[in-house]
PDB file of all heavy atoms in Angstrom:
ATOM      1  N   THR V 248     -56.128   9.801  62.752  1.00 94.00           N
ATOM      2  CA  THR V 248     -57.564   9.952  62.995  1.00 94.00           C
ATOM      3  C   THR V 248     -58.181   8.574  63.258  1.00 94.00           C
ATOM      4  O   THR V 248     -57.510   7.548  63.131  1.00 94.00           O
ATOM      5  CB  THR V 248     -58.237  10.630  61.794  1.00 94.00           C
ATOM      6  OG1 THR V 248     -57.807   9.968  60.604  1.00 94.00           O
ATOM      7  CG2 THR V 248     -57.832  12.086  61.709  1.00 94.00           C
ATOM      8  N   SER V 249     -59.469   8.546  63.600  1.00 94.00           N
ATOM      9  CA  SER V 249     -60.090   7.295  64.055  1.00 94.00           C
ATOM     10  C   SER V 249     -60.119   6.208  62.981  1.00 94.00           C
ATOM     11  O   SER V 249     -60.232   5.028  63.280  1.00 94.00           O
ATOM     12  CB  SER V 249     -61.507   7.576  64.552  1.00 94.00           C
ATOM     13  OG  SER V 249     -62.249   8.177  63.511  1.00 94.00           O
ATOM     14  N   ASP V 250     -59.997   6.605  61.716  1.00 92.00           N
ATOM     15  CA  ASP V 250     -59.953   5.585  60.664  1.00 92.00           C
ATOM     16  C   ASP V 250     -58.550   5.001  60.479  1.00 92.00           C
ATOM     17  O   ASP V 250     -58.320   4.186  59.585  1.00 92.00           O
ATOM     18  CB  ASP V 250     -60.457   6.170  59.332  1.00 92.00           C
ATOM     19  CG  ASP V 250     -59.751   7.465  58.989  1.00 92.00           C
ATOM     20  OD1 ASP V 250     -58.698   7.764  59.616  1.00 92.00           O
ATOM     21  OD2 ASP V 250     -60.231   8.191  58.109  1.00 92.00           O
ATOM     22  N   GLY V 251     -57.618   5.431  61.329  1.00 90.00           N
ATOM     23  CA  GLY V 251     -56.278   4.860  61.280  1.00 90.00           C
ATOM     24  C   GLY V 251     -55.327   5.581  60.329  1.00 90.00           C
ATOM     25  O   GLY V 251     -54.156   5.240  60.242  1.00 90.00           O
ATOM     26  N   ASN V 252     -55.818   6.591  59.622  1.00 88.00           N
ATOM     27  CA  ASN V 252     -54.931   7.339  58.717  1.00 88.00           C
ATOM     28  C   ASN V 252     -54.089   8.352  59.483  1.00 88.00           C
ATOM     29  O   ASN V 252     -54.586   9.028  60.383  1.00 88.00           O
ATOM     30  CB  ASN V 252     -55.752   8.114  57.675  1.00 88.00           C
ATOM     31  CG  ASN V 252     -56.392   7.182  56.674  1.00 88.00           C
ATOM     32  OD1 ASN V 252     -55.866   6.116  56.369  1.00 88.00           O
ATOM     33  ND2 ASN V 252     -57.559   7.582  56.167  1.00 88.00           N
ATOM     34  N   TYR V 253     -52.831   8.450  59.067  1.00 89.00           N
ATOM     35  CA  TYR V 253     -51.988   9.521  59.606  1.00 89.00           C
ATOM     36  C   TYR V 253     -52.554  10.869  59.145  1.00 89.00           C
ATOM     37  O   TYR V 253     -52.970  11.004  57.994  1.00 89.00           O
ATOM     38  CB  TYR V 253     -50.555   9.397  59.083  1.00 89.00           C
ATOM     39  CG  TYR V 253     -49.785   8.253  59.699  1.00 89.00           C
ATOM     40  CD1 TYR V 253     -49.439   7.133  58.961  1.00 89.00           C
ATOM     41  CD2 TYR V 253     -49.391   8.310  61.040  1.00 89.00           C
ATOM     42  CE1 TYR V 253     -48.727   6.086  59.526  1.00 89.00           C
ATOM     43  CE2 TYR V 253     -48.671   7.277  61.615  1.00 89.00           C
ATOM     44  CZ  TYR V 253     -48.339   6.167  60.863  1.00 89.00           C
ATOM     45  OH  TYR V 253     -47.635   5.140  61.429  1.00 89.00           O
ATOM     46  N   VAL V 254     -52.531  11.847  60.035  1.00 90.00           N
ATOM     47  CA  VAL V 254     -52.982  13.193  59.666  1.00 90.00           C
ATOM     48  C   VAL V 254     -52.149  13.725  58.495  1.00 90.00           C
ATOM     49  O   VAL V 254     -52.671  14.364  57.580  1.00 90.00           O
ATOM     50  CB  VAL V 254     -52.902  14.141  60.884  1.00 90.00           C
ATOM     51  CG1 VAL V 254     -53.065  15.592  60.461  1.00 90.00           C
ATOM     52  CG2 VAL V 254     -53.967  13.767  61.907  1.00 90.00           C
ATOM     53  N   CYS V 255     -50.859  13.398  58.495  1.00 84.00           N
ATOM     54  CA  CYS V 255     -49.996  13.920  57.426  1.00 84.00           C
ATOM     55  C   CYS V 255     -50.332  13.309  56.069  1.00 84.00           C
ATOM     56  O   CYS V 255     -49.872  13.793  55.043  1.00 84.00           O
ATOM     57  CB  CYS V 255     -48.524  13.710  57.748  1.00 84.00           C
ATOM     58  SG  CYS V 255     -48.038  11.987  57.774  1.00 84.00           S
ATOM     59  N   GLU V 256     -51.134  12.259  56.054  1.00 79.00           N
ATOM     60  CA  GLU V 256     -51.518  11.681  54.768  1.00 79.00           C
ATOM     61  C   GLU V 256     -52.693  12.413  54.142  1.00 79.00           C
ATOM     62  O   GLU V 256     -53.048  12.166  53.000  1.00 79.00           O
ATOM     63  CB  GLU V 256     -51.900  10.202  54.943  1.00 79.00           C
ATOM     64  CG  GLU V 256     -50.725   9.309  55.285  1.00 79.00           C
ATOM     65  CD  GLU V 256     -51.160   7.879  55.602  1.00 79.00           C
ATOM     66  OE1 GLU V 256     -52.310   7.693  56.057  1.00 79.00           O
ATOM     67  OE2 GLU V 256     -50.359   6.976  55.392  1.00 79.00           O
ATOM     68  N   TYR V 257     -53.304  13.307  54.929  1.00 74.00           N
ATOM     69  CA  TYR V 257     -54.538  13.919  54.452  1.00 74.00           C
ATOM     70  C   TYR V 257     -54.398  14.779  53.211  1.00 74.00           C
ATOM     71  O   TYR V 257     -55.363  15.049  52.538  1.00 74.00           O
ATOM     72  CB  TYR V 257     -55.226  14.706  55.579  1.00 74.00           C
ATOM     73  CG  TYR V 257     -56.178  13.832  56.328  1.00 74.00           C
ATOM     74  CD1 TYR V 257     -55.723  12.980  57.333  1.00 74.00           C
ATOM     75  CD2 TYR V 257     -57.530  13.802  56.013  1.00 74.00           C
ATOM     76  CE1 TYR V 257     -56.589  12.147  58.010  1.00 74.00           C
ATOM     77  CE2 TYR V 257     -58.406  12.972  56.687  1.00 74.00           C
ATOM     78  CZ  TYR V 257     -57.928  12.143  57.683  1.00 74.00           C
ATOM     79  OH  TYR V 257     -58.789  11.320  58.339  1.00 74.00           O
ATOM     80  N   THR V 258     -53.195  15.223  52.927  1.00 61.00           N
ATOM     81  CA  THR V 258     -53.053  15.993  51.692  1.00 61.00           C
ATOM     82  C   THR V 258     -52.670  15.139  50.502  1.00 61.00           C
ATOM     83  O   THR V 258     -52.698  15.613  49.386  1.00 61.00           O
ATOM     84  CB  THR V 258     -51.965  17.072  51.810  1.00 61.00           C
ATOM     85  OG1 THR V 258     -50.848  16.477  52.420  1.00 61.00           O
ATOM     86  CG2 THR V 258     -52.463  18.253  52.606  1.00 61.00           C
ATOM     87  N   HIS V 259     -52.294  13.911  50.730  1.00 43.00           N
ATOM     88  CA  HIS V 259     -51.780  13.134  49.608  1.00 43.00           C
ATOM     89  C   HIS V 259     -52.785  12.999  48.478  1.00 43.00           C
ATOM     90  O   HIS V 259     -52.448  13.137  47.318  1.00 43.00           O
ATOM     91  CB  HIS V 259     -51.299  11.760  50.076  1.00 43.00           C
ATOM     92  CG  HIS V 259     -50.028  11.855  50.852  1.00 43.00           C
ATOM     93  ND1 HIS V 259     -49.296  10.783  51.241  1.00 43.00           N
ATOM     94  CD2 HIS V 259     -49.343  12.946  51.303  1.00 43.00           C
ATOM     95  CE1 HIS V 259     -48.236  11.197  51.901  1.00 43.00           C
ATOM     96  NE2 HIS V 259     -48.252  12.498  51.955  1.00 43.00           N
ATOM     97  N   ASP V 260     -54.031  12.757  48.829  1.00 42.00           N
ATOM     98  CA  ASP V 260     -55.064  12.645  47.796  1.00 42.00           C
ATOM     99  C   ASP V 260     -55.090  13.906  46.938  1.00 42.00           C
ATOM    100  O   ASP V 260     -55.088  13.841  45.715  1.00 42.00           O
ATOM    101  CB  ASP V 260     -56.437  12.483  48.439  1.00 42.00           C
ATOM    102  CG  ASP V 260     -56.481  11.237  49.316  1.00 42.00           C
ATOM    103  OD1 ASP V 260     -55.441  10.537  49.391  1.00 42.00           O
ATOM    104  OD2 ASP V 260     -57.520  10.975  49.900  1.00 42.00           O
TER     105      ASP V 260
END
Side-chain angles (χ1 to χ4, degrees):
Chain V
T248 48
S249 58
D250 51 15
N252 289 330
Y253 287 110
V254 167
C255 67
E256 291 174 333
Y257 270 82
T258 45
H259 288 189
D260 301 0

